[in-house]
Amino acid sequence: MQRRYKNDDFEPKLNQKVSLPSLPNLKKADLQSDQKLLNLSNGTKPHNRLPKLEAKSEVPKQMKLEDAIIHYNSVTPERRQQSPERQLSLNKKRLMARTWNGGQYAFKTKAGCLANKTSKTNQDSAIVLPNCLESLGYNMFGVCDGHGSNGHLVSQFIKQALPKHLESLINKEDNKNKIIQKAFEQTNKEIWDSETDTSLSGSTTVSVLIKKDQLWTANVGDSRAIICRNQEGNWKAIQITRDHKPNVEDEKQRILQAGGRVESQKDYYGNSIGPERVWLSYIDAPGLAMTRSLGDKVGAQAGVTADPEIFEFTLTQFDQCIVIASDGVWEYLSNEDVMNVVTPYIEKENIDLAADRLMAESINAWKRHSLARDDITCIVVYLKS
């Protein structure tokens, strides 16, 4: 038993009464004077009750589709503090798709989080209608997904540099494939020559270049672009890029021929964890989950390349929209899943709601499968004017 009395020899008995010192008699006037002192000391009156909560009846019961608020399951404190009227006002401004000469587009991005829900730097960057190409009659959309400690710097650099290289080359060469190939090569060279450490940092890039009804896609890594086609009421998702991952046979063979190694990470007991990754033959680095990337000097020693895979398409009257997104979308959603999310809004020409809903569904998919979440970026391009 812990002793709490100054005299250790004294212990109260069970039936023994212990007298406590009496409190001084306080008068109401004394309390009021103390209250005045508190008011003078900090200038505010102490709260003696909890703040009043707004009644649920104050929240609008019905909202129109264009005024709808897409609720992500994780709500920031800033959004909690906004009143319903304020949120609706912001939502009306937010749900406005931007226009381009071929139709409308909407762009959304959200930073990922770690397994303990700690937020991280958003390493995604979006390329949206650079002016330097618009003046030449070309429209460009793209997503750069950075990785590594300096991945955000690499993706931001690609966003600025790649369109400028395309602009400088586009009038010197008729072969668009050669132009795009050269632009990626020059961009990657500048990344390597920069002062930014890209030994273990880099970025994937997927881009779509449009001129009238001609479309060129260029992809480096595991981001993706699809076309949603509606022919006689039947929707179809058409993938217009190819993912570059170690489990793709020709990509895997290129890594092995370059002296790299392809295998999953191992736990303490030697069991495989997660997807296959690219490693150097003699050390467990860099561990990339893609086989093509800009930057990544160590990965290049294992066969990782920055050469884009380029495809050319002719748009038809049935092509309704293009979805370009980082692998944060495609990790747990298939092409058909994405198409089914956006097409109800595309049919009503609510392009911004389509992108908003795709963002929400991507976040929910991560929550169902993982404690962490990757950065998520999507661009929905509506092809009808």
Side-chain angles (χ1 to χ4, degrees):
M1 178 177 178
Q2 184 179 0
R3 301 180 185 276
R4 301 176 59 187
Y5 301 90
K6 293 182 180 180
N7 186 358
D8 292 342
D9 296 331
F10 172 77
E11 292 186 7
K13 298 181 180 179
L14 292 177
N15 296 327
Q16 182 178 355
K17 294 183 180 180
V18 178
S19 61
L20 297 175
S22 60
L23 295 175
N25 294 327
L26 297 177
K27 298 180 181 180
K28 186 175 182 180
D30 297 332
L31 292 175
Q32 291 177 349
S33 62
D34 292 341
Q35 185 66 51
K36 291 179 182 179
L37 291 175
L38 286 173
N39 292 342
L40 291 174
S41 62
N42 55 23
T44 58
K45 185 177 181 180
H47 294 289
N48 57 0
R49 65 181 64 184
L50 294 174
K52 183 180 179 182
L53 298 177
E54 295 181 356
K56 292 184 178 180
S57 59
E58 296 178 7
V59 181
K61 294 182 179 180
Q62 295 182 350
M63 291 182 289
K64 297 180 181 178
L65 180 62
E66 57 269 19
D67 294 336
I69 303 174
I70 305 298
H71 290 285
Y72 307 129
N73 288 345
S74 58
V75 183
T76 61
E78 291 78 8
R79 290 188 64 180
R80 288 194 196 98
Q81 295 172 0
Q82 293 173 359
S83 66
E85 293 79 8
R86 174 62 175 166
Q87 184 63 55
L88 282 174
S89 175
L90 294 175
N91 203 59
K92 289 179 180 179
K93 296 179 181 179
R94 179 171 59 87
L95 296 179
M96 295 177 62
R98 300 166 180 85
T99 60
W100 64 294
N101 59 10
Q104 296 178 314
Y105 76 92
F107 151 63
K108 306 293 176 183
T109 188
K110 185 176 180 65
C113 65
L114 305 178
N116 60 2
K117 302 306 177 185
T118 302
S119 60
K120 59 184 288 292
T121 301
N122 190 344
Q123 295 186 302
D124 287 357
S125 296
I127 302 172
V128 179
L129 298 176
N131 294 329
C132 60
L133 291 174
E134 274 195 298
S135 61
L136 300 177
Y138 292 86
N139 298 282
M140 183 181 181
F141 299 91
V143 173
C144 310
D145 182 0
H147 52 263
S149 58
N150 292 323
H152 58 295
L153 300 178
V154 178
S155 68
Q156 291 168 10
F157 181 83
I158 296 170
K159 173 183 178 179
Q160 301 296 329
L162 184 58
K164 293 181 180 179
H165 288 307
L166 286 171
E167 176 198 14
S168 63
L169 295 168
I170 213 157
N171 289 327
K172 300 178 182 179
E173 174 71 50
D174 293 331
N175 190 320
K176 297 298 186 295
N177 287 17
K178 290 184 178 179
I179 291 172
I180 296 171
Q181 180 82 27
K182 186 69 173 178
F184 272 81
E185 181 183 328
Q186 292 179 350
T187 303
N188 192 53
K189 184 179 184 303
E190 289 181 347
I191 293 171
W192 277 41
D193 294 341
S194 70
E195 296 181 356
T196 302
D197 182 9
T198 56
S199 299
L200 296 172
S201 297
S203 176
T204 67
T205 300
V206 58
S207 67
V208 175
L209 188 66
I210 305 172
K211 185 174 185 180
K212 296 181 180 179
D213 61 347
Q214 290 302 116
L215 180 149
W216 296 266
T217 65
N219 188 38
V220 173
D222 55 0
S223 295
R224 189 185 305 171
I226 66 170
I227 286 179
C228 297
R229 179 174 293 173
N230 183 8
Q231 192 166 1
E232 298 179 354
N234 297 319
W235 284 95
K236 184 178 180 181
I238 302 171
Q239 188 169 329
I240 54 177
T241 60
R242 190 172 71 112
D243 297 353
H244 302 137
K245 294 188 176 183
N247 61 353
V248 178
E249 188 57 32
D250 60 334
E251 293 291 306
K252 181 177 182 179
Q253 290 303 318
R254 193 189 72 251
I255 297 297
L256 296 177
Q257 291 173 9
R261 177 165 49 97
V262 174
E263 61 182 34
S264 301
Q265 284 182 305
K266 305 292 183 181
D267 64 10
Y268 179 79
Y269 301 100
N271 300 316
S272 298
I273 303 174
E276 291 185 320
R277 295 178 179 272
V278 178
W279 313 88
L280 295 171
S281 59
Y282 55 90
I283 192 173
D284 287 339
L288 293 174
M290 74 288 299
T291 55
R292 303 195 190 197
S293 173
L294 286 85
D296 284 305
K297 294 178 180 179
V298 173
Q301 300 176 36
V304 176
T305 179
D307 292 338
E309 189 170 26
I310 304 167
F311 297 107
E312 182 177 354
F313 301 88
T314 300
L315 295 172
T316 71
Q317 59 179 327
F318 305 111
D319 297 330
Q320 300 292 305
C321 74
I322 302 172
V323 179
I324 310 159
S326 62
D327 69 325
V329 170
W330 309 110
E331 183 71 24
Y332 297 113
L333 297 179
S334 67
N335 296 341
E336 288 70 27
D337 291 334
V338 171
M339 179 191 69
N340 292 333
V341 169
V342 302
T343 50
Y345 302 98
I346 297 299
E347 290 176 338
K348 299 178 181 179
E349 299 188 10
N350 290 314
I351 313 305
D352 207 291
L353 275 177
D356 230 26
R357 175 54 64 185
L358 180 56
M359 174 64 73
E361 290 298 329
S362 300
I363 293 173
N364 290 334
W366 275 92
K367 289 184 176 181
R368 291 192 297 269
H369 294 88
S370 174
L371 294 175
R373 186 184 69 242
D374 197 2
D375 301 331
I376 300 174
T377 299
C378 64
I379 305 173
V380 179
V381 183
Y382 184 49
L383 297 173
K384 295 293 182 179
S385 57

mmCIF file of all heavy atoms in Angstrom, residues 121-146:
data_model
loop_
_atom_site.group_PDB
_atom_site.id
_atom_site.type_symbol
_atom_site.label_atom_id
_atom_site.label_comp_id
_atom_site.label_asym_id
_atom_site.label_seq_id
_atom_site.Cartn_x
_atom_site.Cartn_y
_atom_site.Cartn_z
ATOM 1 N N THR A 121 3.599 14.210 -50.079
ATOM 2 C CA THR A 121 3.663 15.163 -51.179
ATOM 3 C C THR A 121 3.055 14.554 -52.431
ATOM 4 O O THR A 121 3.351 13.408 -52.781
ATOM 5 C CB THR A 121 5.125 15.558 -51.464
ATOM 6 O OG1 THR A 121 5.690 16.136 -50.285
ATOM 7 C CG2 THR A 121 5.214 16.548 -52.611
ATOM 8 N N ASN A 122 2.208 15.308 -53.087
ATOM 9 C CA ASN A 122 1.626 14.851 -54.346
ATOM 10 C C ASN A 122 2.699 14.940 -55.427
ATOM 11 O O ASN A 122 3.138 16.027 -55.797
ATOM 12 C CB ASN A 122 0.415 15.703 -54.714
ATOM 13 C CG ASN A 122 -0.374 15.117 -55.875
ATOM 14 O OD1 ASN A 122 0.111 14.242 -56.605
ATOM 15 N ND2 ASN A 122 -1.585 15.587 -56.064
ATOM 16 N N GLN A 123 3.118 13.791 -55.948
ATOM 17 C CA GLN A 123 4.180 13.763 -56.947
ATOM 18 C C GLN A 123 3.647 13.690 -58.370
ATOM 19 O O GLN A 123 4.427 13.557 -59.307
ATOM 20 C CB GLN A 123 5.118 12.580 -56.663
ATOM 21 C CG GLN A 123 5.861 12.707 -55.350
ATOM 22 C CD GLN A 123 6.887 11.614 -55.141
ATOM 23 O OE1 GLN A 123 6.569 10.434 -55.156
ATOM 24 N NE2 GLN A 123 8.139 12.004 -54.965
ATOM 25 N N ASP A 124 2.338 13.769 -58.528
ATOM 26 C CA ASP A 124 1.733 13.800 -59.864
ATOM 27 C C ASP A 124 1.737 15.224 -60.412
ATOM 28 O O ASP A 124 1.596 16.190 -59.659
ATOM 29 C CB ASP A 124 0.296 13.299 -59.818
ATOM 30 C CG ASP A 124 0.206 11.794 -59.618
ATOM 31 O OD1 ASP A 124 1.262 11.144 -59.573
ATOM 32 O OD2 ASP A 124 -0.920 11.283 -59.513
ATOM 33 N N SER A 125 1.892 15.334 -61.714
ATOM 34 C CA SER A 125 1.757 16.619 -62.412
ATOM 35 C C SER A 125 0.949 16.381 -63.689
ATOM 36 O O SER A 125 1.110 15.345 -64.336
ATOM 37 C CB SER A 125 3.124 17.210 -62.778
ATOM 38 O OG SER A 125 3.869 17.529 -61.617
ATOM 39 N N ALA A 126 0.097 17.321 -64.015
ATOM 40 C CA ALA A 126 -0.768 17.183 -65.190
ATOM 41 C C ALA A 126 -0.358 18.172 -66.269
ATOM 42 O O ALA A 126 -0.076 19.342 -65.988
ATOM 43 C CB ALA A 126 -2.231 17.392 -64.812
ATOM 44 N N ILE A 127 -0.314 17.692 -67.499
ATOM 45 C CA ILE A 127 -0.072 18.547 -68.662
ATOM 46 C C ILE A 127 -1.425 18.821 -69.313
ATOM 47 O O ILE A 127 -2.099 17.894 -69.772
ATOM 48 C CB ILE A 127 0.868 17.868 -69.669
ATOM 49 C CG1 ILE A 127 2.195 17.506 -69.004
ATOM 50 C CG2 ILE A 127 1.093 18.750 -70.883
ATOM 51 C CD1 ILE A 127 3.116 16.663 -69.880
ATOM 52 N N VAL A 128 -1.838 20.071 -69.311
ATOM 53 C CA VAL A 128 -3.163 20.419 -69.813
ATOM 54 C C VAL A 128 -3.064 21.582 -70.787
ATOM 55 O O VAL A 128 -2.797 22.722 -70.400
ATOM 56 C CB VAL A 128 -4.118 20.783 -68.650
ATOM 57 C CG1 VAL A 128 -5.480 21.164 -69.187
ATOM 58 C CG2 VAL A 128 -4.244 19.635 -67.675
ATOM 59 N N LEU A 129 -3.224 21.293 -72.064
ATOM 60 C CA LEU A 129 -3.305 22.300 -73.127
ATOM 61 C C LEU A 129 -2.204 23.360 -73.030
ATOM 62 O O LEU A 129 -2.488 24.549 -72.838
ATOM 63 C CB LEU A 129 -4.673 22.983 -73.106
ATOM 64 C CG LEU A 129 -5.885 22.073 -73.349
ATOM 65 C CD1 LEU A 129 -7.173 22.875 -73.201
ATOM 66 C CD2 LEU A 129 -5.819 21.432 -74.722
ATOM 67 N N PRO A 130 -0.939 22.981 -73.152
ATOM 68 C CA PRO A 130 0.125 23.997 -73.142
ATOM 69 C C PRO A 130 -0.047 24.974 -74.299
ATOM 70 O O PRO A 130 -0.314 24.582 -75.438
ATOM 71 C CB PRO A 130 1.404 23.164 -73.288
ATOM 72 C CG PRO A 130 0.967 21.848 -73.824
ATOM 73 C CD PRO A 130 -0.409 21.617 -73.320
ATOM 74 N N ASN A 131 0.095 26.261 -73.997
ATOM 75 C CA ASN A 131 -0.136 27.307 -75.001
ATOM 76 C C ASN A 131 0.806 27.208 -76.191
ATOM 77 O O ASN A 131 0.431 27.537 -77.319
ATOM 78 C CB ASN A 131 -0.001 28.689 -74.349
ATOM 79 C CG ASN A 131 -1.082 28.945 -73.323
ATOM 80 O OD1 ASN A 131 -2.188 28.444 -73.446
ATOM 81 N ND2 ASN A 131 -0.756 29.709 -72.296
ATOM 82 N N CYS A 132 2.026 26.751 -75.938
ATOM 83 C CA CYS A 132 3.007 26.698 -77.012
ATOM 84 C C CYS A 132 2.578 25.744 -78.124
ATOM 85 O O CYS A 132 2.950 25.947 -79.293
ATOM 86 C CB CYS A 132 4.377 26.306 -76.467
ATOM 87 S SG CYS A 132 4.414 24.684 -75.663
ATOM 88 N N LEU A 133 1.798 24.719 -77.800
ATOM 89 C CA LEU A 133 1.320 23.782 -78.818
ATOM 90 C C LEU A 133 -0.038 24.195 -79.376
ATOM 91 O O LEU A 133 -0.341 23.924 -80.540
ATOM 92 C CB LEU A 133 1.243 22.373 -78.228
ATOM 93 C CG LEU A 133 2.583 21.711 -77.916
ATOM 94 C CD1 LEU A 133 2.375 20.385 -77.201
ATOM 95 C CD2 LEU A 133 3.400 21.508 -79.189
ATOM 96 N N GLU A 134 -0.849 24.832 -78.547
ATOM 97 C CA GLU A 134 -2.153 25.301 -79.029
ATOM 98 C C GLU A 134 -1.999 26.292 -80.168
ATOM 99 O O GLU A 134 -2.789 26.296 -81.124
ATOM 100 C CB GLU A 134 -2.944 25.941 -77.881
ATOM 101 C CG GLU A 134 -3.743 24.957 -77.063
ATOM 102 C CD GLU A 134 -4.768 25.627 -76.185
ATOM 103 O OE1 GLU A 134 -4.367 26.414 -75.300
ATOM 104 O OE2 GLU A 134 -5.966 25.368 -76.378
ATOM 105 N N SER A 135 -0.975 27.121 -80.082
ATOM 106 C CA SER A 135 -0.751 28.117 -81.144
ATOM 107 C C SER A 135 -0.385 27.468 -82.476
ATOM 108 O O SER A 135 -0.494 28.092 -83.522
ATOM 109 C CB SER A 135 0.357 29.084 -80.717
ATOM 110 O OG SER A 135 1.579 28.380 -80.505
ATOM 111 N N LEU A 136 0.050 26.204 -82.429
ATOM 112 C CA LEU A 136 0.410 25.473 -83.639
ATOM 113 C C LEU A 136 -0.710 24.548 -84.105
ATOM 114 O O LEU A 136 -0.531 23.788 -85.066
ATOM 115 C CB LEU A 136 1.685 24.650 -83.399
ATOM 116 C CG LEU A 136 2.937 25.444 -83.003
ATOM 117 C CD1 LEU A 136 4.087 24.494 -82.718
ATOM 118 C CD2 LEU A 136 3.321 26.433 -84.104
ATOM 119 N N GLY A 137 -1.845 24.594 -83.424
ATOM 120 C CA GLY A 137 -2.975 23.771 -83.822
ATOM 121 C C GLY A 137 -3.023 22.403 -83.177
ATOM 122 O O GLY A 137 -3.806 21.546 -83.601
ATOM 123 N N TYR A 138 -2.210 22.175 -82.145
ATOM 124 C CA TYR A 138 -2.182 20.894 -81.443
ATOM 125 C C TYR A 138 -2.705 21.072 -80.023
ATOM 126 O O TYR A 138 -2.473 22.099 -79.389
ATOM 127 C CB TYR A 138 -0.762 20.325 -81.393
ATOM 128 C CG TYR A 138 -0.216 19.901 -82.728
ATOM 129 C CD1 TYR A 138 0.419 20.831 -83.565
ATOM 130 C CD2 TYR A 138 -0.322 18.590 -83.167
ATOM 131 C CE1 TYR A 138 0.928 20.456 -84.800
ATOM 132 C CE2 TYR A 138 0.186 18.203 -84.399
ATOM 133 C CZ TYR A 138 0.805 19.136 -85.208
ATOM 134 O OH TYR A 138 1.305 18.760 -86.430
ATOM 135 N N ASN A 139 -3.390 20.053 -79.538
ATOM 136 C CA ASN A 139 -3.866 20.029 -78.151
ATOM 137 C C ASN A 139 -3.224 18.848 -77.434
ATOM 138 O O ASN A 139 -3.233 17.729 -77.948
ATOM 139 C CB ASN A 139 -5.388 19.897 -78.114
ATOM 140 C CG ASN A 139 -6.083 21.070 -78.772
ATOM 141 O OD1 ASN A 139 -6.205 22.148 -78.188
ATOM 142 N ND2 ASN A 139 -6.537 20.882 -80.006
ATOM 143 N N MET A 140 -2.676 19.105 -76.259
ATOM 144 C CA MET A 140 -1.937 18.074 -75.541
ATOM 145 C C MET A 140 -2.458 17.925 -74.120
ATOM 146 O O MET A 140 -2.702 18.912 -73.420
ATOM 147 C CB MET A 140 -0.446 18.415 -75.502
ATOM 148 C CG MET A 140 0.414 17.354 -74.845
ATOM 149 S SD MET A 140 2.167 17.814 -74.803
ATOM 150 C CE MET A 140 2.882 16.372 -74.023
ATOM 151 N N PHE A 141 -2.651 16.682 -73.715
ATOM 152 C CA PHE A 141 -2.994 16.346 -72.338
ATOM 153 C C PHE A 141 -2.032 15.259 -71.878
ATOM 154 O O PHE A 141 -1.612 14.415 -72.671
ATOM 155 C CB PHE A 141 -4.430 15.826 -72.228
ATOM 156 C CG PHE A 141 -5.477 16.806 -72.661
ATOM 157 C CD1 PHE A 141 -5.916 16.837 -73.980
ATOM 158 C CD2 PHE A 141 -6.029 17.698 -71.762
ATOM 159 C CE1 PHE A 141 -6.885 17.732 -74.391
ATOM 160 C CE2 PHE A 141 -6.999 18.605 -72.165
ATOM 161 C CZ PHE A 141 -7.431 18.621 -73.484
ATOM 162 N N GLY A 142 -1.685 15.272 -70.593
ATOM 163 C CA GLY A 142 -0.785 14.243 -70.096
ATOM 164 C C GLY A 142 -0.739 14.202 -68.580
ATOM 165 O O GLY A 142 -1.150 15.153 -67.902
ATOM 166 N N VAL A 143 -0.235 13.093 -68.047
ATOM 167 C CA VAL A 143 -0.068 12.919 -66.607
ATOM 168 C C VAL A 143 1.329 12.378 -66.348
ATOM 169 O O VAL A 143 1.750 11.392 -66.969
ATOM 170 C CB VAL A 143 -1.117 11.954 -66.030
ATOM 171 C CG1 VAL A 143 -0.813 11.650 -64.564
ATOM 172 C CG2 VAL A 143 -2.515 12.533 -66.155
ATOM 173 N N CYS A 144 2.050 13.030 -65.445
ATOM 174 C CA CYS A 144 3.385 12.593 -65.034
ATOM 175 C C CYS A 144 3.305 12.144 -63.576
ATOM 176 O O CYS A 144 2.858 12.900 -62.715
ATOM 177 C CB CYS A 144 4.397 13.736 -65.170
ATOM 178 S SG CYS A 144 4.366 14.568 -66.773
ATOM 179 N N ASP A 145 3.722 10.914 -63.314
ATOM 180 C CA ASP A 145 3.611 10.325 -61.979
ATOM 181 C C ASP A 145 5.009 10.094 -61.415
ATOM 182 O O ASP A 145 5.695 9.148 -61.779
ATOM 183 C CB ASP A 145 2.833 9.004 -62.079
ATOM 184 C CG ASP A 145 2.628 8.343 -60.721
ATOM 185 O OD1 ASP A 145 3.085 8.909 -59.712
ATOM 186 O OD2 ASP A 145 2.015 7.267 -60.677
ATOM 187 N N GLY A 146 5.443 10.982 -60.525
ATOM 188 C CA GLY A 146 6.791 10.908 -59.962
ATOM 189 C C GLY A 146 6.922 9.876 -58.862
ATOM 190 O O GLY A 146 5.943 9.472 -58.228
#
